[in-house]
C-alpha cells in the first residue's frame, strides 16, 4: 500500500522526478519526462504497479536529509546490527534518464533486501526481461514497446513478476545500483560513473542555489522552496509542472 504523500521525498533531474518513500521504496517515476507514463506506479495502487525497494531486511529506523541545496537524498538506516546510508540521485546535465542508488556501510554489518518491479505504461505493460553479463558487472534489461531500462548492479533473481536479491554491507563497503531508461530500438547506454555523476550533480544544484538570496531567518525555507520550483521546471521548455505526480491529494493526509 502506498504511503502518505508527506512520507515521500522527491529527487529529479529537471526532466522528470521520482518519489522515494521513507520505507526505501521508489513508488513513483515517469521516464523519460514528467509527462511520460509511469514506470513505477505503486503510489496509485500497490507494489504490483511498479516500485523499487532497497531497505534493511529486519527491524530498522530511518532518517533522511538532502545534501545541502541539492536534490540528492541521503537515507540513514539504523539497525541492531549496524548503520547504512542509501544515496538516491538523478544525475543532471548528461542528457540521459538515470537513477542512481548507492548503499554505503557506516558501521557494523547490515543485510538489505531489493525488490524491483518494472511496469511501463501506468502498469499496463509488464516488460520482457533478460539478464546479461557486462565487463565489470551485471545488467538486467527490460523492454516493452518503445520503452527500455537497463539496471546495473548486483544480480537480481526473478520471482513471479519481480526481481529480488539480498546482500550484506559492512562498514566502509559500497554497493551501487544504476537504472537508465532508453528507447528500445537503441542499444543500452554505457555504464555511468556514479561518483562523478553525484559530484557533478551536487555542484550544479549548489551553484544554482548560490544565486538565490534571502534574509538569514528565512534562508532555509526560501532556498528549499526555490529548489522545488527549479526541480519541477522542465529544463528544455521552461514549463513548470504542478506536481511531480499526476495530481495532488484531495485532502490532508491523502
Amino acid at each position: 500500500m502506498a504511503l502518505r504523500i508527506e512520507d515521500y521525498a522527491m529527487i529529479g533531474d529537471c526532466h522528470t522526478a521520482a518519489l522515494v518513500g521513507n520505507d526505501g521504496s521508489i513508488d513513483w517515476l515517469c521516464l523519460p519526462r514528467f509527462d511520460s507514463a509511469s514506470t513505477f506506479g505503486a503510489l496509485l495502487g500497490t507494489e504490483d504497479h511498479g516500485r523499487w525497494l532497497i531497505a534493511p531486511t529486519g527491524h530498522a529506523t530511518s532518517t533522511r536529509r538532502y545534501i545541502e541545496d541539492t536534490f540528492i537524498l541521503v537515507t540513514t538506516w539504523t539497525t541492531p546490527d549496524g548503520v547504512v546510508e542509501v544515496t538516491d540521485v538523478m544525475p543532471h546535465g548528461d542528457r540521459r534518464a538515470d537513477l542512481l542508488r548507492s548503499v554505503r556501510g557506516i558501521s557494523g554489518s547490515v543485510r538489505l533486501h531489493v525488490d524491483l518491479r518494472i511496469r511501463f505504461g501506468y502498469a499496463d505493460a509488464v516488460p520482457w526481461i533478460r539478464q546479461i553479463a557486462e565487463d565489470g558487472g551485471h545488467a538486467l534489461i527490460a523492454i516493452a514497446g518503445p520503452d527500455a531500462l537497463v539496471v546495473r548492479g548486483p544480480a537480481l533473481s526473478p520471482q513471479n513478476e519481480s526481481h529480488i536479491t539480498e546482500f550484506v554491507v559492512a562498514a566502509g563497503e559500497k554497493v551501487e545500483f544504476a537504472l537508465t531508461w532508453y528507447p528500445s530500438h537503441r542499444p543500452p547506454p554505457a555504464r555511468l560513473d556514479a561518483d562523478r555523476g553525484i559530484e557533478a550533480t551536487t555542484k550544479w544544484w549548489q551553484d544554482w542555489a548560490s544565486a538565490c538570496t534571502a534574509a538569514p531567518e528565512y534562508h532555509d525555507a526560501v532556498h528549499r522552496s526555490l529548489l522545488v520550483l527549479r526541480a519541477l521546471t522542465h529544463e528544455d521548455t521552461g514549463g513548470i509542472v504542478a506536481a511531480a505526480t499526476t495530481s495532488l491529494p484531495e485532502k490532508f493526509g491523502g
Side-chain angles (χ1 to χ4, degrees):
M1 177 177 292
L3 304 172
R4 298 173 302 172
I5 196 68
E6 57 261 40
D7 293 329
Y8 289 99
M10 183 178 74
I11 59 175
D13 61 0
C14 298
H15 291 268
T16 189
L19 295 187
V20 187
N22 59 12
D23 60 351
S25 180
I26 296 177
D27 286 350
W28 186 258
L29 175 61
C30 298
L31 290 170
R33 291 164 45 106
F34 291 109
D35 57 347
S36 300
S38 67
T39 298
F40 300 134
L43 181 73
L44 300 183
T46 70
E47 59 267 20
D48 286 330
H49 294 100
R51 66 107 173 245
W52 187 7
L53 171 75
I54 300 179
T57 56
H59 174 73
T61 59
S62 67
T63 59
R64 302 193 294 179
R65 64 180 176 86
Y66 289 112
I67 293 176
E68 184 179 2
D69 282 342
T70 76
F71 272 95
I72 299 173
L73 180 69
V74 180
T75 302
T76 302
W77 291 97
T78 302
T79 77
D81 299 317
V83 178
V84 297
E85 281 186 351
V86 179
T87 299
D88 292 318
V89 57
M90 300 188 74
H92 176 272
D94 58 5
R95 308 303 298 183
R96 292 168 39 142
D98 295 300
L99 194 162
L100 304 178
R101 310 197 76 182
S102 177
V103 184
R104 183 170 66 95
I106 303 301
S107 66
S109 182
V110 180
R111 177 174 291 275
L112 293 102
H113 175 70
V114 179
D115 183 352
L116 175 66
R117 307 188 189 199
I118 301 169
R119 304 287 189 268
F120 292 116
Y122 298 112
D124 275 346
V126 178
W128 289 97
I129 294 179
R130 60 189 173 95
Q131 303 199 51
I132 61 173
E134 292 186 326
D135 289 340
H138 176 275
L140 178 150
I141 299 196
I143 295 177
D147 297 300
L149 289 181
V150 56
V151 181
R152 296 179 167 102
L156 302 173
S157 300
Q159 184 181 84
N160 299 322
E161 292 183 340
S162 66
H163 283 75
I164 64 172
T165 193
E166 290 187 0
F167 61 95
V168 176
V169 175
E173 294 180 343
K174 184 185 290 186
V175 176
E176 294 178 338
F177 294 85
L179 177 151
T180 305
W181 177 93
Y182 64 99
S184 60
H185 64 280
R186 296 179 179 172
R191 181 182 294 270
L192 186 69
D193 186 316
D195 289 339
R196 185 176 299 176
I198 292 173
E199 181 181 353
T201 301
T202 300
K203 184 178 185 305
W204 185 85
W205 279 113
Q206 292 180 343
D207 285 350
W208 186 87
S210 68
C212 307
T213 59
E217 61 268 32
Y218 304 117
H219 175 275
D220 291 347
V222 170
H223 271 224
R224 182 49 56 181
S225 296
L226 290 171
L227 284 162
V228 169
L229 289 174
R230 185 66 185 90
L232 295 176
T233 302
H234 191 274
E235 188 168 47
D236 292 339
T237 67
I240 303 176
V241 298
T245 58
T246 59
S247 56
L248 294 171
E250 295 181 0
K251 60 181 181 180
F252 289 109

